[in-house]
Amino acid sequence: MTESTSDLVEPHGGALRELLAAPERVEQLKAEAVDLRSWDLTERQVCDTELLLNGGFSPLYGFLTERDYDSVCTDMRLADGTLWPIPINLDVAEAFVEGLQAGDRIALRHPEGMVLAVMTVEDIYRPDFKREAELVYGAADDAHPEVFRLFNQCNPVYLGGRLEGLELPPHHTFKHLRHTPRELREWFAKLGWNNVVAFQTRNPMHRAHVELAKRASQTGAANLLIHPVVGMTKPGDVDYFIRVRCYQEVVKHFPEQTTTLSLLPLAMRMGGPREAVWHAIIRKNHGCSRFIVGRDHAGPGKNGQGEDFYGPYDAQELVRSFEAELGITMQPFEEMVYVEDRAQYVPRSEVPEGARVLNISGTELRRRLKEGLDLPDWFSYPQVIAHLRQAFPPKRQQGFTVFFTGLSGSGKSTIANVLMAKLMEVGTRPVTLLDGDLVRKHLSSELGFSKEHRELNIQRIGYVASEITKNRGIAICAPIAPYRATRRTVREMVSQYGGFIEVHVATPLEVCEQRDRKGLYAKARAGLIKQFTGIDDPYEAPEQAEVVVDTSRYSADELAQQILLQLEKQGYIDND
Ligand code: PPS
């Protein structure tokens, strides 16, 4: 065994299980890794590996074996009874496990190429994602971002086993704000902070959060650790580069002697109550004695029926029920709201009767940022707003993607070409057309039309479109894109950087087949082409496309105008 379960039982941390090997052993592992089967870690697996190696996930000693996984899913405990609410799994492709056996060792590689850890495979198993979704997240409903990931992006095989760490993942941003659990414990000890309350966040902080955190530290007579997640958060969240600049401004409003800021490279699951328990364990590992749990902690938003997945205070209840066992005190907190006549923030339940309460929701904040509207001083700090304004320029300056989807021969390319010409006439941004046929020639020439290949093709288009959008250009995509889930993935990729306008070219199959410009429908009917969309392969029509057009009733010019008007209505084309 090479991991060190250190004796560093700090005032509040409990034993820290760090999995980084000693320097001599690292040299041996490096030599061994050269000949090992090697797995390229995904972004999320890098986050999990970092917290396994640095002790943030103590007492885990690696990715969960099937016995531990089952027990975590059903009972929120490892097989030995230790409280652990969220499964931590290494998901890999079927091809990777061919010939792999329990007892084999594999190298886990960072995307930059270095080996982060060597894993001794103890278990190779195929999970039931539906069961995991129901047990851990409460529903097999893919409106939940983690359930969506399980159903659509997760690799089918889980590997369980012990890790020996070679090095932690490199970080090139905000190095001075990153600390391992050991570093934080030592830092707290040096400062004499023996009672520290942690504040978890994945959003920019405004005055309400500052008031909440200040009250929490005062109530608990504790020092404050602002501990934002900078690994992976909910799709669509403000990216962490911008958030960290905002936190750096906000931290200036706390006394330097009692408050600090540190970034946590966690991949969140948006698991509500279970996630709150997990966050508490992670904060305890980072040397904290208290943990703030507010309203709707790590909430995933609405389910498929438009209702919240979890009740607003479910997370507080679950953490409270485990408080003694967790060894960290929960500091429950209500939502803070601004009472106008008092010019003060107070918890919602303490608002005097009849008092006027002001509040700006996250959605309203984004609307005001996107439209360049005023944001009052009572809500946030001018420096924070300035950073956010940089990140959310008005829509007329943002990039966007127009994503056409529809059957072969539906008229996607024709309208896309007209639209491209019109947008070039507008002339405010560079325009790139990613037509289905063009992409298949230049980016996806080796791909066929199986489900797997089509998904890969669309993901490539999505990646290029998201880069164009990020750099404030216009991408026009025109593939068939027959699968709903893949289109949703592309929407998420692009929306974090700018607009995403899905256009369903809903020309009926009969009309497409009658036209049969390329003669492909005839061939498909004759069985000469297999897996042809609409004939012997499905087309899942969009349910929420921004624009639906039918080329059997209008000309391409008329339809391109409809799309332009929609872009204008949404604010992307505007001469002001
Ligand atoms: S997908 O599903 O989005 O990856 O398809 P896409 O990249 O848009 O490619 C569609 C074009 O490829 C031709 N073609 C087929 N289409 C559908 N199914 C099968 N089996 C197939 N084989 C070849 C067809 O010409 C499509 O072009 P468009 O422009 O859509 O007619």
Side-chain angles (χ1 to χ4, degrees), residues 407-409 412-413 436-437 440 449 454 457-458 478-482 518 520 529-533:
L407 295 168
S408 170
K412 303 180 296 291
S413 306
D437 284 337
R440 286 211 167 250
F449 288 88
R454 287 180 197 257
N457 181 41
I458 301 307
I480 297 179
K518 300 178 184 167
L520 294 175
I529 306 178
K530 299 275 180 240
Q531 296 181 301
F532 197 83
T533 308

Side-chain angles (χ1 to χ4, degrees), residues 343-510:
Q344 206 182 21
Y345 277 90
V346 299
R348 196 176 270 286
S349 66
E350 290 173 27
V351 174
E353 240 191 80
R356 200 163 105 92
V357 159
L358 303 181
N359 198 9
I360 293 183
S361 67
T363 318
E364 175 62 9
L365 168 63
R366 277 173 185 250
R367 188 187 74 85
R368 292 196 190 191
L369 288 170
K370 283 189 171 160
E371 319 234 329
L373 299 172
D374 181 48
L375 279 156
D377 265 2
W378 62 261
F379 173 71
S380 196
Y381 306 93
Q383 300 85 345
V384 169
I385 297 297
H387 286 304
L388 291 177
R389 283 203 197 284
Q390 254 190 345
F392 295 92
K395 281 192 175 169
R396 63 176 184 282
Q397 288 169 15
Q398 284 179 29
F400 64 85
T401 291
V402 180
F403 191 93
F404 287 91
T405 166
L407 295 168
S408 170
S410 58
K412 303 180 296 291
S413 306
T414 318
I415 314 170
N417 273 294
V418 179
L419 181 67
M420 176 165 80
K422 301 275 170 220
L423 288 169
M424 285 165 82
E425 275 181 15
V426 173
T428 46
R429 307 170 180 88
V431 191
T432 306
L433 177 60
L434 298 164
D435 190 34
D437 284 337
L438 278 176
V439 169
R440 286 211 167 250
K441 186 167 166 207
H442 296 295
L443 289 181
S444 294
S445 55
E446 87 286 16
L447 299 183
F449 288 88
S450 64
K451 183 163 198 286
E452 196 191 353
H453 277 191
R454 287 180 197 257
E455 279 176 352
L456 196 54
N457 181 41
I458 301 307
Q459 278 163 14
R460 287 180 189 173
I461 295 176
Y463 173 72
V464 177
S466 72
E467 286 295 308
I468 292 169
T469 305
K470 179 166 83 182
N471 292 307
R472 306 203 177 166
I474 300 173
I476 302 176
C477 313
I480 297 179
Y483 306 121
R484 210 169 283 144
T486 331
R487 293 193 302 261
R488 175 167 156 186
T489 305
V490 172
R491 181 184 285 271
E492 281 172 6
M493 284 160 86
V494 174
S495 306
Q496 55 180 324
Y497 300 123
F500 185 82
I501 297 94
E502 188 172 348
V503 181
H504 179 199
V505 185
T507 313
L509 176 65
E510 308 78 68

Side-chain angles (χ1 to χ4, degrees), residues 114-311:
M114 61 288 257
V115 176
L116 299 183
V118 170
M119 177 178 182
T120 307
V121 177
E122 286 169 40
D123 232 353
I124 304 170
Y125 57 107
R126 286 160 187 78
D128 175 346
F129 291 134
K130 185 164 174 285
R131 180 168 171 272
E132 181 176 336
E134 280 165 354
L135 289 171
V136 181
Y137 303 104
D141 177 341
D142 73 2
H144 191 298
E146 180 60 15
V147 175
F148 180 76
R149 190 197 69 84
L150 284 174
F151 290 177
N152 298 291
Q153 294 161 356
C154 194
N155 289 299
V157 187
Y158 283 175
L159 298 182
R162 181 176 294 276
L163 296 189
E164 283 185 276
L166 283 76
E167 60 182 297
L168 292 173
H171 289 292
H172 309 300
T173 58
F174 305 111
K175 276 178 193 280
H176 61 297
L177 294 175
R178 296 177 185 269
H179 310 94
T180 65
R182 176 180 288 273
E183 284 166 348
L184 269 189
R185 288 174 180 217
E186 287 173 353
W187 178 239
F188 295 159
K190 182 171 176 186
L191 296 177
W193 291 14
N194 59 13
N195 184 20
V196 180
V197 61
F199 179 68
Q200 136 85 30
T201 179
R202 44 169 262 267
N203 286 310
M205 284 175 76
H206 303 292
R207 286 188 197 266
H209 308 105
V210 171
E211 289 301 323
L212 188 155
K214 278 188 180 169
R215 276 185 181 236
S217 61
Q218 285 158 12
T219 313
N223 292 94
L224 175 67
L225 170 66
I226 300 175
H227 209 197
V229 173
V230 296
M232 295 175 77
T233 61
K234 195 174 158 196
D237 281 349
V238 176
D239 83 40
Y240 84 85
F241 292 98
I242 296 146
R243 283 191 288 121
V244 174
R245 282 183 227 130
C246 296
Y247 303 137
Q248 287 176 306
E249 294 297 341
V250 160
V251 79
K252 293 178 192 157
H253 296 269
F254 292 89
E256 203 185 335
Q257 289 70 17
T258 64
T259 302
T260 196
L261 169 66
S262 180
L263 311 181
L264 181 67
L266 176 73
M268 288 180 71
R269 274 56 166 175
M270 310 313 300
R274 276 193 184 227
E275 178 130 354
V277 174
W278 186 44
H279 286 180
I281 297 171
I282 295 166
R283 273 32 186 249
K284 178 181 152 188
N285 287 332
H286 284 78
C288 300
S289 44
R290 294 170 170 268
F291 179 55
I292 300 170
V293 182
R295 193 179 177 283
D296 194 25
H297 190 99
K302 306 273 184 214
N303 65 17
Q305 280 73 54
E307 296 148 1
D308 288 332
F309 274 93
Y310 314 116

